[in-house]
Structure formats: structure tokens, C-alpha cells
Amino acid sequence: MTVLDTRTLNRATLARQLLLDRADLPVRDAVAHLCGLQAQEPQEPFVGLWSRLRAFDAAALSDLLTGRRLVRTILMRRTVHLLTAEDALAWRARHDAMLRQRMLGTYRRELDGVDLDELAAAGRAVLADGEPRSMGDLGRAVAGRWPAAGARVLGEMLVAALIPMAQLPPRGLWRTKAGVRNAPLSSWLGREPDPPAQNGSDPVGEALVRRYLAAYGPAASADLRAWCGLAGLPAAVAAVRPELVSFRDERGRELLDLPDAPRPDPDTPAPVRFLPAFDNAILGYHDRGRIIDDAHRGLSVAGARVVLVDGRVGATWTVEDGTVMVTPLGRLSGGDRDAVGEQGRALAAFLSDGDSHRVRIGDG
């Protein structure tokens, strides 16, 4: 079985994630290809798409949110993702059990004695008036029935697990600060989420395997599980395995992939790319060694914005008074500093509508 070294996996990931060459794709198609973007920080997807699309227009993303073609919702790993409306409706039921289990893993003691089906019904009754609500408002509205659980826990259980919800604009719009207002996914998108399969098959799980490999492969089953949070996908992997090709990584793990997906030459040049906080190009794997050194792995879960240099995390970045501030994680060559500076100036211009082209690079 062919062994794929770390650099080969890196270039494959960059190609799948639209980070090797900026793509000429409409925003919605890019979000669909990427299987959504992690989006608990509302402005971060704009940078993620700017780094991936050749002619990204921030207003186009805002228009897709207000036009209900993209939606912000809690799904993979119980985190907020920006998804196409179609994927949110198709995938939600397959994630229901995981969302409940993760919530109970955190709040089992507080929710002891609470019938979750009754809680869901009570939440839906409150929402039946069509008014969007914050998590706290919804929890307080039902807390009288379960006072021991507490309004905060009840509201989080309803919004994060029991009722498929959309986070409504203006939250998530370009350069807009707004609190979270939740409405049922069905009312916002005009229909109920697709029901789970009834015949023991798992078409959604199989689709997730194919879609994940198209955007993240080659990858191990553990990587797939780390991306979506679903433990129950071995049967789906087995069902699609005849369609796939197999490799091994340098640790000996089996990696699965779509046969015709891009696997570029490992010597393919990788341009500098600025990534937002919690970008799935890093978080979408159990073994993140293809893109970030173990010594810096903590950055990926701490919300640090990172810079890819030669395809790997080589710096972090922030913005201060319109200046993109870059902090290298090691010594950058002169050529790399120039490339980081060029992309940093372009990012500063994007974030400021051309008012600033300032970038400052610290010492490694």
C-alpha cells in the first residue's frame, strides 16, 4: 500500500481546501465544497473565504445569509457552522443523537429528571409565536417547569440539541455586531429537516464520508470522526469503501480517499495564506500533523488566527488599528517574510475596504 508522507498530505489538504490556488467559485459553492465553515466567531468565515476565492465579495456572503441560502446553525462537533441551507436540512437529523449526548455529557446532573421530549415540546410551544429568541430568553420561558435545572442549561439544551435552530441575521453579516437570535430551522428555511432513514441504511452518513474526503482527504476514519463528531460512521465507511482508494501515512494509519481527487506533487509551491480562528483546514482532523507542528497544536483550539507558510502554520496574526500584526513562530526566510508581507497588506486592504495596507511582522 502506498505510503503518503506528511508533505504529500499537506499539499493534498491545501488543494482540497482551496488554499493551494484561489478558486473561481461562487461563495455558496465554496461553502458547499468545504462542507461548511466553522463560524462561532461571526466574522471569521469572511477571512476564510477571502483566502480561498479569487474574487471574494464579502457582501455576497451577507446576501446569502439574509436570502436564507446559507445558514448559521449548531451542527458538527456541537459548534456553530456556516452551511448551505440544503446541507443543514439534510444533515441535521444525522447529528441529533450526537448533539444530545454531548449536551448530557456536560449537564447530566443538572438535567437529571428532565424529560427531554417534554422539554423540546415546551420549547417549541414558546417558539410557536414566530418570535426569535436568545438562548437565555428561551430558557427562562420554560424554567418554571424545571426550576432545578436552571434557565441557562435548559436554554442551551433546547438551542444546541433538541430543536434545530438557525442563528438569524444580522449576526454573521459583514462588519456587523449583533447578539444571537434563534429561530427554528424549519421556520427560517421553509421546511423541516430531512427525517432519518427508516430502513437501517445511512445515506446521509455515506454522503458525509464522500463529501469529507473531497474536502479533506486523504484521511483516516479517526479524522472523519474528529471533524463531524459522529461516532456511528463505520457502517457508512464500509458501504462506500468499494468506491475508495487506500493509502497509509507514515504512522501506519490507513487513509481513505476518492480515486480521482487531487493529490498534488509534494514539491508543488504553497503560497502564504492567512486563516481565521478555528479554521477547519486545521480542526478537521484528529491528526493535524499534516498542517501544524505538535508544539503549536494548542493554537488550533485556542482561537488563534494563523498564517500558513509553505503550507504549514508558521505564524499567528491579529489586527490592531487597521494594521495586520504577524507574529512568526520561528525564523522566516527573507522570501517568506516578503510573501507574508504581501498577503498581509492585501488582507489589511480587504478588512478596511482599501483604507489600510499596513502590516507589521515581528521577529521569529
Side-chain angles (χ1 to χ4, degrees):
M1 191 179 294
T2 301
V3 174
L4 303 180
D5 64 21
T6 299
R7 189 174 174 90
T8 300
L9 292 175
N10 174 267
R11 292 315 193 250
T13 293
L14 297 180
R16 313 290 174 91
Q17 285 288 307
L18 313 180
L19 293 166
L20 201 57
D21 293 300
R22 281 187 166 96
D24 290 314
L25 284 177
V27 170
R28 185 198 164 280
D29 292 355
V31 173
H33 168 75
L34 295 166
C35 305
L37 288 86
Q38 192 157 334
Q40 65 263 47
E41 297 293 336
Q43 295 296 299
E44 299 302 298
F46 290 92
V47 174
L49 289 168
W50 174 82
S51 286
R52 288 171 163 93
L53 300 181
R54 188 162 286 117
F56 175 61
D57 178 6
L61 173 51
S62 292
D63 289 346
L64 289 165
L65 279 166
T66 56
R68 311 189 190 198
R69 299 191 65 202
L70 296 180
V71 64
R72 295 170 48 82
T73 188
I74 296 174
L75 200 65
M76 285 83 81
R77 306 186 302 278
R78 207 189 77 188
T79 53
V80 178
H81 275 71
L82 175 72
L83 297 158
T84 68
E86 293 82 356
D87 285 343
L89 292 168
W91 294 354
R92 171 58 202 234
R94 187 62 179 82
H95 289 74
D96 279 352
M98 177 271 292
L99 294 171
R100 287 192 179 209
Q101 289 163 4
R102 292 201 172 198
M103 282 298 300
L104 288 172
T106 303
Y107 297 121
R108 189 173 299 277
R109 180 178 59 82
E110 291 87 342
L111 291 166
D112 183 44
V114 176
D115 184 301
L116 297 184
D117 290 337
E118 291 182 9
L119 175 58
R124 289 183 183 278
V126 172
L127 292 164
D129 62 5
E131 289 296 319
R133 286 174 169 81
S134 70
M135 188 181 290
D137 288 342
L138 187 55
R140 286 187 288 273
V142 300
R145 188 165 172 183
W146 296 280
R152 182 182 62 82
V153 172
L154 294 170
E156 187 174 347
M157 187 72 193
L158 285 166
V159 170
L162 297 184
I163 302 175
M165 291 283 204
Q167 290 189 359
L168 304 193
R171 190 167 179 84
L173 302 184
W174 180 232
R175 295 206 182 103
T176 300
K177 291 184 178 181
V180 178
R181 300 180 309 132
N182 302 285
L185 206 58
S186 56
S187 64
W188 182 246
L189 297 182
R191 69 174 177 86
E192 292 289 340
D194 296 345
Q198 298 296 315
N199 58 0
S201 65
D202 188 10
V204 174
E206 294 169 20
L208 285 171
V209 173
R210 297 186 188 98
R211 295 276 299 276
Y212 174 77
L213 292 176
Y216 294 87
S221 295
D223 296 319
L224 169 66
R225 184 167 62 249
W227 166 70
C228 63
L230 299 175
L233 287 176
V237 171
V240 302
R241 182 178 283 272
E243 308 170 19
L244 307 178
V245 292
S246 298
F247 305 95
R248 293 212 180 270
D249 65 13
E250 293 174 306
R251 295 169 48 196
R253 299 189 313 160
E254 183 186 32
L255 306 177
L256 301 174
D257 204 6
L258 303 173
D260 297 326
R263 290 179 288 275
D265 187 292
D267 292 327
T268 302
V272 166
R273 292 289 184 257
F274 281 70
L275 296 186
F278 307 113
D279 195 279
N280 276 8
I282 301 172
L283 293 187
Y285 300 95
H286 173 70
D287 182 357
R288 298 170 188 165
R290 69 179 67 192
I291 198 166
I292 188 169
D293 294 344
D294 286 344
H296 302 136
R297 182 184 173 99
L299 295 172
S300 62
V301 294
R305 297 161 163 174
V306 301
V307 185
L308 299 184
V309 181
D310 192 25
R312 300 185 63 79
V313 173
T316 61
W317 67 277
T318 58
V319 179
E320 297 180 17
D321 297 325
T323 300
V324 173
M325 311 288 289
V326 178
T327 303
L329 299 173
R331 185 170 181 80
L332 297 178
S333 70
D336 286 339
R337 288 182 72 89
D338 289 345
V340 169
E342 179 183 358
Q343 279 296 298
R345 285 187 288 274
L347 176 59
F350 167 70
L351 294 174
S352 66
D353 273 345
D355 289 342
S356 169
H357 293 78
R358 298 187 301 275
V359 61
R360 184 177 302 164
I361 305 173
D363 296 327

